[in-house]
Amino acid sequence: MLGGRDAMSGPAAALLVVGDVVTDVVALHAGPLPPGADLPAEITVRAGGSAANTAAWAAALGADARLLARAGADAADWHAARLAEAGVRPHLRVDAACPTAVIIVMVDAAGERTMLTQRGAGARLGPGDWDDALLDGAAWLHVSGYVLFTASGRALAQRAVAAARARGAGVSVDPASAGDLRRWGPGRFLAATEGADVLLPNRDEAVLLGGVPDPRAAAARLSGRYGLVACKLGADGALAARDGRIVAQVPAKRVRAVDSTGAGDAFAAGFLTARLSGAPVPDALAAGCRAGARAVTAVGGRPPVPPRTTG
């Protein structure tokens, strides 16, 4: 479905992200959570969504970032305002019949998260939401894997990718969720995304899609299907594979993790933004790791928004 080119080059240009916008209910707790527990927690409501987080991090890193997503009428204006504050150009399709997606994110003392998800309006994103003008001035299209887990989303992705190819823009895909990949089927995902210029799996997703237990071997195997595989390894950093072999590996920046929500989204933004600026693959991996490290040091999936100044 996603055939294309094998490298990014040239001056920085706009990045279009297609995927989800979500209302995150984040609960920080000491844990564990046994059945019947009634434990104290620090609970906040934040703007989230894998694709929206990636766009926000890309904007924070200097990219001209725009987002196509679908939100319910209940929270579309609030999400558009939060995206604009983050420097993203939001293109939110408003769903009058379905509420905005909501995720309950439970974060333990080690910063590890457990999520309960209601996809809401985001699951109804489809080809009717597409407009070729979204790609005006864009050099790259980034598709969240969540889009591919519904029939309407896959139809949208096909339209978006075809439009990107017609304009000479590249395409990247983030698998997004090992759990959803298992439920949908790794083979179906591989068939739907084969030939994308960049695949951005984490360790679990790479192992699942590559069919081997070692993430290095999995990334190398997957690179036969994609132009480049940039694999996130958490505390072990990241690696890149092309043409069946590992071409770069970088360590992670050591930080105290508070909340791992959005770390992979930040990595994708750091990697893609660096590549759009002409950085070589090792430098782009390092940029992704730096962004991911920043993400885990704060609660929520997006970079902090600088306070407004008044004069």
Side-chain angles (χ1 to χ4, degrees), residues 29 44-45 71-72 77 99 110 113 122 127-128 162 179 225 229 286 300:
H29 63 92
T44 58
V45 177
D77 289 346
R113 71 189 192 278
R225 291 177 172 267
V229 175

Side-chain angles (χ1 to χ4, degrees), residues 41-225:
E42 181 181 335
I43 299 174
T44 58
V45 177
R46 298 173 179 269
S50 179
N53 294 343
T54 297
W57 278 103
L61 295 169
D64 176 1
R66 55 190 75 166
L67 172 74
L68 172 64
R70 191 173 183 88
D74 59 327
D77 289 346
W78 183 76
H79 278 288
R82 300 294 78 74
L83 288 162
E85 287 176 354
V88 177
R89 288 198 268 172
H91 299 272
L92 298 186
R93 306 315 190 211
V94 180
D95 194 318
C98 195
T100 303
V102 176
I103 294 180
I104 297 174
V105 186
M106 296 175 289
V107 184
D108 66 19
E112 293 300 321
R113 71 189 192 278
T114 301
M115 299 190 294
L116 301 173
T117 303
Q118 175 182 288
R119 286 288 160 203
R124 290 156 58 93
L125 189 69
D129 296 318
W130 179 254
D131 184 340
D132 285 355
L134 291 164
L135 286 167
D136 289 350
W140 206 261
L141 168 70
H142 178 66
V143 179
S144 168
Y146 288 117
V147 173
L148 301 171
F149 299 137
T150 67
S152 62
R154 289 191 293 277
L156 165 66
Q158 288 180 321
R159 287 195 61 180
V161 169
R165 295 306 185 208
R167 293 173 180 237
V171 175
S172 54
V173 181
D174 189 325
S177 168
D180 282 327
L181 285 175
R182 290 189 188 94
R183 285 187 289 272
W184 190 45
R188 296 177 69 185
F189 181 89
L190 291 171
T193 61
E194 185 168 8
D197 302 313
V198 179
L199 182 74
L200 291 151
N202 63 23
R203 184 196 307 266
D204 291 342
E205 293 156 358
V207 166
L208 181 62
L209 292 171
V212 291
D214 175 55
R216 290 176 59 87
R221 177 178 289 188
L222 288 168
S223 69
R225 291 177 172 267

